[in-house]
Amino acid sequence: MAFRVLQISDTHLSIRYDHFAANVEAVRRHVVAAAPDLVVNTGDLCMDGAGDAADLDLAADWHASLGAPVRAVPGNHDVGDIAAIRPDQLVDDARLAAWRTRFGGDFWAMDVEDWRLVGLDAMLFGSGHAEEERQYAFLAHAAATDRRLALFLHKPLFIEREDEGPRGYWTVKPAPRARLFAAIGAADLGLVASGHLHIARARPIDGVDHVWGPSAAFVCGPIQEDLGGERVIGLAEHVFAGREVVSRFVRPEGVADTPLDPVHDEIYPRTAEPETVA
């Protein structure tokens, strides 16, 4: 019996800005009508949950309206980031507690079919926070299984290959990436599903399906470097059956590929760190 997961990402819900509300509402309607077995949001649920907990409250209410079980992992706009990227919004105890109060664990595991779905807090990687070590231990324990592994996290692990160098704001840094793969060990990794880039791309790399889930809110224009894939609004569907998974992108009725660029400086005022884009 197949298990169907709808992956939404980068909803960027906000109490202050409604520039992208029509897209997010169209995605919500689609999810409600589709009635999946599980919804996974791969981060940036909020526009500024790391700065204002009211955005987290809004996101919690929005996800409760989907009519399906929901799991989520945080993005940089939900719990902050590492010092090299957002020294003014670091991942810390208060931000993690605010997330966990509303959404449960920021890393988690659940078994479906012959798979173990593992959600990871990408914002802990390279943070130096004590929870980073606990997450590596958690991942090693979760990977000690005969089931296939599917990872869900906000930032992609890499753009083109596992051993590539740093890609700035866009991916997990090389050192924590190496530790992540070491924690997985010999486990049968079959899927890595991420968000963050506001790009739809599905590509098998070294026998693993790497799926970038598109944003439910906005796309980036020239403000973002060319990373491949399609800059479209939508979501990803993953159907798990036995030890197989089939992934596809879905474009809900009523969405438009609304660009961030014209309102970027209004929503994200320039800081000392120019890497903060989406």
Side-chain angles (χ1 to χ4, degrees):
M1 184 175 178
F3 189 90
R4 188 163 55 107
V5 176
L6 292 186
Q7 176 198 351
I8 57 178
S9 199
D10 298 272
T11 40
H12 286 273
L13 293 155
S14 172
I15 62 169
R16 294 185 180 87
Y17 305 106
D18 62 358
H19 302 74
F20 316 111
N23 281 339
V24 177
E25 174 57 20
V27 169
R28 192 192 71 83
R29 290 195 303 267
H30 177 89
V31 172
V32 170
D37 297 301
L38 178 69
V39 175
V40 177
N41 192 323
T42 45
D44 281 358
L45 283 62
C46 308
M47 194 75 78
D48 189 23
D52 189 341
D55 272 12
L56 294 172
D57 290 331
L58 177 64
D61 290 343
W62 187 88
H63 285 80
S65 77
L66 296 178
V70 176
R71 291 289 183 99
V73 292
N76 45 301
H77 291 293
D78 301 319
V79 297
D81 211 323
I82 61 176
I85 294 176
R86 281 302 298 264
D88 59 321
Q89 281 193 346
L90 296 177
V91 179
D92 61 17
D93 290 342
R95 291 188 172 100
L96 291 173
W99 169 274
R100 292 168 179 173
T101 296
R102 294 161 177 84
F103 304 105
D106 48 316
F107 47 93
W108 46 264
M110 63 182 293
D111 293 341
V112 301
E113 293 290 303
D114 294 327
W115 289 77
R116 178 161 292 168
L117 313 185
V118 179
L120 296 174
D121 184 349
M123 314 326 300
L124 289 175
F125 292 130
S127 69
H129 193 283
E131 288 293 275
E132 181 179 7
E133 294 302 319
R134 192 167 77 87
Q135 181 170 244
Y136 287 127
F138 162 82
L139 177 57
H141 179 77
T145 178
D146 291 333
R147 294 174 179 270
R148 298 197 78 191
L149 288 186
L151 303 185
F152 292 86
L153 73 167
H154 183 56
K155 289 189 176 183
L157 297 178
F158 51 81
I159 302 299
E160 300 295 343
R161 65 183 194 278
E162 179 182 333
D163 64 348
E164 73 185 15
R167 296 300 298 263
Y169 174 73
W170 304 117
T171 69
V172 174
K173 304 294 186 186
R177 181 197 312 148
R179 289 197 62 186
L180 180 149
F181 280 111
I184 291 173
D188 184 7
L189 179 62
L191 172 68
V192 178
S194 58
H196 185 55
L197 303 183
H198 295 235
I199 291 171
R201 193 186 84 172
R203 182 177 297 178
I205 302 174
D206 297 330
V208 178
D209 291 337
H210 289 261
V211 176
W212 297 351
S215 171
F218 59 81
V219 299
C220 299
I223 197 170
Q224 181 185 47
E225 65 181 279
D226 184 6
L227 299 167
E230 291 187 88
R231 302 184 189 194
V232 292
I233 299 299
L235 63 149
E237 178 187 75
H238 309 285
V239 178
F240 297 87
R243 296 183 69 85
E244 301 299 319
V245 61
V246 175
S247 302
R248 70 184 183 104
F249 296 115
V250 179
R251 184 174 176 86
E253 183 179 354
V255 301
D257 297 328
T258 311
L260 170 66
D261 302 37
V263 296
H264 176 270
D265 290 345
E266 173 191 352
I267 294 173
Y268 301 126
R270 188 173 299 278
T271 70
E273 295 296 326
E275 286 187 304
T276 56
V277 177

